[in-house]
Amino acid sequence: MEQTAVSSREIKQASAAYPIHPLLQERWSPRAFADTPVEQAKLLSMLEAARWAPSGGNAQPWYFIVATKDDAEEYARLASCLNPFNGEWAVQAPVLILTVAQMVTSSGRKNGHAFHDVGLATQNLTIQATALGLHVHPMAGFSADSARTLYGIPDDYEPVTMLAVGYLGDPETLSEQRRQQELTPRTRRPLDEFVFSRTWGQASPIVK
C-alpha cells in the first residue's frame, strides 16, 4: 500500500514550465484517503494558516464548519450534504470541512470579493496541509441548501465548497473510474492561453 501511495504522489507532481515552490508542485486533490486520523494539532495549524490569508479591507469573510470521524454523528451530518458522485469516495477522508462566505460586510454593504477571500483562505489551509504531509480535495458537488438547513446558516452567508482532508490512501480502494483519475497525470493550460496583454485573448509577450 505504501508503494502505491508514493507512486501516485509522483504521478501527480506538477510538471511546471517554470520553477515553483515544491509545496505548490506537490499539492494535488486525491480521492483515495487513508483511514489514519488527522492529528488535532495539524488541523489547528491548517485553520490558523487560513486565518492569516489576505482579505479585502480585512473583512475576513471566511467561516469553516469542521467534522471529524471522532464524532461519527456530526461527520455523518456534514457528509449528508455531499452529492452521490463525491460521497462515493469523500467519506474515506477522516475530516470534512464546509467553507462559508459572509456576503455582507458588518456595515451592511455587499462584499463582492467574499468568495475570492474564502478561496485565498482555503488555499492557505491547503498549502499548510501539504506542508504537514496531508492532502485536501475541494468539492463543489454538495447541496448548499442542505448545509444551510442543517447548520442554520444565515441568509447573508453562502456555503462555498466542501473539503475532504486526510493522508494519502491507496487508489485500489476506489472504483475503477476513480482509480484511473487518481493515476492520471495532472495537466494545466499553458500560460499563453490565459495571460494577456493589449487586448483580450492576445498572449502577453512575457509568456511567448
Side-chain angles (χ1 to χ4, degrees), residues 1 4 13 44 50 71 78 87 114 116 133 177 196 199 202:
M1 176 174 173
T4 303
Q13 188 169 71
L44 288 172
D71 185 339
L78 188 52
H116 175 269
Q177 179 184 357
F196 302 153
T199 188
Q202 181 173 328

Side-chain angles (χ1 to χ4, degrees), residues 33-182:
F33 287 94
D35 58 8
T36 307
V38 174
E39 300 88 337
Q40 183 175 338
K42 290 188 176 182
L43 186 53
L44 288 172
S45 181
M46 291 162 52
L47 294 167
E48 182 70 9
R51 177 178 173 232
W52 289 100
S55 174
N58 203 26
Q60 305 170 56
W62 48 73
Y63 292 82
F64 301 91
I65 295 174
V66 182
T68 73
K69 287 191 174 179
D70 292 335
D71 185 339
E73 182 178 351
E74 179 60 21
Y75 185 94
R77 187 159 72 125
L78 188 52
S80 72
C81 299
L82 292 166
N83 67 18
F85 179 85
N86 288 324
E88 171 191 332
W89 56 265
V91 294
Q92 288 187 354
V95 180
L96 293 175
I97 300 175
L98 173 66
T99 73
V100 180
Q102 182 179 0
M103 305 304 295
V104 178
T105 67
S106 56
S107 62
R109 293 182 295 105
K110 180 180 178 180
N111 186 349
H113 291 88
F115 271 36
H116 175 269
D117 286 5
V118 172
L120 288 170
T122 300
Q123 182 70 346
N124 265 27
L125 180 153
T126 299
I127 296 303
Q128 183 65 33
T130 305
L132 296 170
L134 294 160
H135 286 269
V136 178
H137 190 127
M139 298 168 282
F142 73 98
S143 172
D145 290 340
S146 294
R148 188 181 298 280
T149 299
L150 284 171
Y151 291 96
I153 298 171
D155 290 340
D156 53 351
Y157 292 72
E158 189 67 32
V160 182
T161 53
M162 288 270 284
L163 311 175
V165 183
Y167 290 98
L168 193 62
D170 186 350
E172 295 301 322
T173 63
L174 300 171
S175 67
E176 180 58 24
Q177 179 184 357
R178 305 290 173 259
R179 190 181 73 83
Q180 290 301 323
Q181 291 173 322
E182 202 81 345

